[in-house]
Amino acid sequence: MTFSRKQLNSLYRYALSLSGNPDDAYDLLQSGLEKIISVKRTQSVNLAYVRKSIRHLFIDQCRRQQIIVFEPLEEEKLAMLSTEPLEQIIINEVTVNLLMEDLEPRERECLFLWAVLGYTAAEIANETGESRGTILSRLYRVKKKAQNLLEQNTLSEVHSE
């Protein structure tokens, strides 16, 4: 059983969407892969199975600690692939970090599967074992939080001028 670098990066980003912390995401990924390797040494494993294992480990950790960690995603480097002015890129990064701080782990997971992996609501529902309606509601709440955050930022920019 081998995973490509692209698959491992995708699994890491998924773990990061759950934990909200780079170090915890690495731990989740490693624990999830160790668990799968110990159980299914020679069998082929798909990414959905690995993501499910990572999600269950995350839920188990939260239950053990009786807390859910809400930490901001810290990105030290800006991707200079955009033609936008540096000021706008920084504003966008701050806005995304504020949104991620405001989201619950299930909302971050849903956002990751939808926005990054391009899953439909039905595919997310199938992957997480929840109803499609629950996923649609969660996506609506995420979009609403993002819209409210953008409106707050727009209002603060108008008042500062």
Side-chain angles (χ1 to χ4, degrees):
M1 161 183 6
T2 59
F3 294 101
S4 70
R5 181 177 290 278
K6 183 178 179 182
Q7 290 171 322
L8 289 172
N9 283 336
S10 175
L11 291 170
Y12 168 74
R13 289 190 320 260
Y14 177 71
L16 184 61
S17 76
L18 290 173
S19 67
N21 179 302
D23 294 331
D24 292 343
Y26 279 119
D27 292 343
L28 272 175
L29 177 59
Q30 182 176 351
S31 298
L33 291 175
E34 285 176 355
K35 184 176 179 181
I36 289 170
I37 289 170
S38 68
V39 173
K40 299 184 178 262
R41 292 179 194 261
T42 58
Q43 297 175 347
S44 176
V45 176
N46 64 21
L47 290 180
Y49 183 80
V50 179
R51 280 194 299 269
K52 186 178 232 178
S53 176
I54 290 170
R55 182 182 333 104
H56 289 192
L57 284 170
F58 176 72
I59 292 168
D60 289 345
Q61 287 175 359
C62 289
R63 285 182 183 152
R64 248 183 261 118
Q65 297 170 356
Q66 295 183 347
I67 59 168
I68 296 179
V69 179
F70 293 100
E71 292 189 24
L73 293 176
E74 295 178 16
E75 186 63 40
E76 297 294 326
K77 300 175 186 173
L78 293 174
M80 299 307 289
L81 302 175
S82 177
T83 58
E84 293 183 78
L86 180 60
E87 181 179 279
Q88 187 60 46
I89 292 172
I90 292 171
I91 290 170
N92 291 344
E93 180 185 10
V94 168
T95 302
V96 168
N97 285 338
L98 288 173
L99 176 63
M100 294 305 281
E101 287 176 11
D102 195 33
L103 297 179
E104 298 174 11
R106 286 184 175 182
E107 291 171 332
R108 288 194 305 255
E109 174 188 27
C110 193
L111 179 62
F112 175 81
L113 293 172
W114 175 72
V116 176
L117 295 183
Y119 282 22
T120 64
E123 290 170 329
I124 296 170
N126 186 39
E127 174 122 355
T128 60
E130 297 176 305
S131 72
R132 183 175 176 271
T134 300
I135 298 303
L136 288 172
S137 295
R138 193 168 291 145
L139 283 172
Y140 175 79
R141 285 192 305 273
V142 168
K143 291 175 187 177
K144 202 66 166 157
K145 285 181 181 181
Q147 184 179 17
N148 290 341
L149 186 61
L150 287 173
E151 287 172 1
Q152 288 174 358
N153 286 347
T154 304
L155 288 175
S156 64
E157 288 174 14
V158 169
H159 291 298
S160 66
E161 291 178 356

